[in-house]
Amino acid sequence: MTTLAGRASPAPRPADPFLPRPFVVRDHRQDTRDTYTLVLEPVDEAPLEFAAGQFTMMHAFGVGEAPISISGDPARSDRLEHTIRNVGAVTRALVHAAPGTELGIRGPFGTGWEVSSGSGGDVVFVAGGIGLAPLRPAILEVCAARARYGRVLLLYGARTPEDILYGDDLRRWAQDHDIDVQVTVDNGQHAWRGRVGLVTQLITRGGFDAANTLALVCGPEVMMRYAAMALADRGVPPSRLRLSMERNMKCGVGLCGHCQLREHFLCVDGPVLTYAVLEPLMSRAEL
């Protein structure tokens, strides 16, 4: 379901959205020097359905909770995957959760990417840094129904070659699913033979039918602002250009106001919003 503001309606919530549901860590891997992926399964074995683009509040017992985007496959309701960057006390506790550790999960919360709305046209993913993690479920959704889409591009920018996420996935998406994967880094080392520069530079050179393109963007807010401008300049309609505006979510249900962006509560109205909604807001520095 889509609202008049051009964003997906939030999924139905459990009776008590403030009650964490116990999940156990089944797998734990280190992706980069400060980024880890956890695979979790529900202790009660009941499925947890989610849409690509949604997030959960992950609770480390005795420490606190933090909003983390779901990075797993929406077709796998029996497990959750979260890619987490170690940036504070809560995320430090989460990334150090070894297999067998029990964590609390609230959610899923927020709106999704609604990838299926791009069926019949081209799809462009633009990711910056760990912003590839929230886009991964949408990419997996496209891969599962690849014949429904035209040209698919993934334009990904990282700080250094060592910060590139999901290297195996990137190769598999390109080789097995006909996705044009283009990677660039801000700072390339001597052994790096790939592109160096801003991810926005890839947009100007990317070959896609802009008027018939669904563009999904996630990364640092300044990167998203310039990427959205570049995509709009190429002719992507603002209503088909979506950004994930994750901020400091606390409650997940639009009560605390921590994630307020003028009239929008991003945990409910977002995190995925169209550029038609966001364009006048992103140019206001005080917001």
Side-chain angles (χ1 to χ4, degrees):
M1 179 178 179
T2 304
T3 65
L4 293 178
R7 53 183 180 268
S9 299
R13 300 193 180 92
D16 187 352
F18 294 102
L19 182 64
R21 181 177 165 188
F23 276 67
V24 65
V25 178
R26 293 302 184 201
D27 191 23
H28 172 284
R29 72 170 185 267
Q30 183 171 2
D31 296 298
T32 71
R33 60 182 179 81
D34 61 357
T35 304
Y36 300 73
T37 294
L38 302 183
V39 178
L40 305 99
E41 295 178 354
V43 171
D44 59 11
E45 299 184 353
L48 180 68
E49 295 185 356
F50 62 91
Q54 289 189 300
F55 69 97
T56 71
M57 298 297 299
M58 294 189 70
H59 192 100
F61 295 110
V63 183
E65 66 177 6
I68 307 292
S69 292
I70 301 171
S71 58
D73 189 345
R76 294 291 305 272
S77 61
D78 60 328
R79 56 186 266 173
L80 278 175
E81 289 186 49
H82 287 283
T83 298
I84 307 163
R85 187 178 174 204
N86 184 1
V87 293
V90 177
T91 52
R92 185 178 308 115
L94 293 173
V95 301
H96 290 152
T101 303
E102 191 169 294
L103 302 174
I105 296 291
R106 292 196 297 117
F109 296 120
T111 55
W113 293 110
E114 285 203 324
V115 182
S116 61
S117 65
S119 179
D122 294 347
V123 181
V124 177
F125 299 98
V126 184
I130 199 171
L132 182 58
L135 284 168
R136 183 172 180 265
I139 298 170
L140 293 174
E141 196 172 323
V142 168
C143 290
R146 182 64 183 86
R148 298 180 185 174
Y149 303 92
R151 190 169 188 210
V152 180
L153 286 79
L154 169 57
L155 312 179
Y156 176 40
R159 288 176 296 177
T160 70
E162 290 74 25
D163 292 309
I164 294 173
L165 283 177
Y166 309 137
D168 290 341
D169 281 346
L170 295 175
R171 286 184 285 273
R172 184 167 55 252
W173 294 336
Q175 294 170 7
D176 299 343
H177 299 285
D178 191 27
I179 294 179
D180 184 355
V181 177
Q182 301 182 32
V183 179
T184 186
V185 299
D186 296 334
N187 298 295
Q189 306 301 319
H190 294 298
W192 175 250
R193 294 294 181 264
R195 296 180 179 88
V196 176
L198 300 176
V199 70
T200 49
Q201 296 172 341
L202 301 180
I203 295 172
T204 60
R205 297 193 295 264
F208 53 89
D209 179 9
N212 194 32
T213 287
L214 175 67
L216 309 181
V217 184
C218 189
E221 195 162 322
V222 63
M223 164 259 167
M224 290 197 295
R225 182 165 66 248
Y226 285 103
M229 291 170 59
L231 287 161
D233 287 345
R234 280 289 308 271
V236 177
S239 61
R240 294 178 60 81
L241 171 51
R242 299 171 189 162
L243 292 74
S244 183
M245 297 293 293
E246 295 187 29
R247 290 193 173 188
N248 189 23
M249 284 77 157
K250 290 291 186 182
C251 69
V253 293
L255 292 179
C256 70
H258 277 81
C259 66
Q260 187 170 2
L261 180 64
R262 207 167 71 181
E263 70 270 28
H264 302 287
F265 290 92
L266 294 180
C267 64
V268 176
D269 301 317
V272 179
L273 292 162
T274 67
Y275 192 51
V277 172
L278 289 170
E279 182 179 14
L281 304 179
M282 298 184 76
S283 60
R284 300 286 296 274
E286 64 271 21
L287 296 177

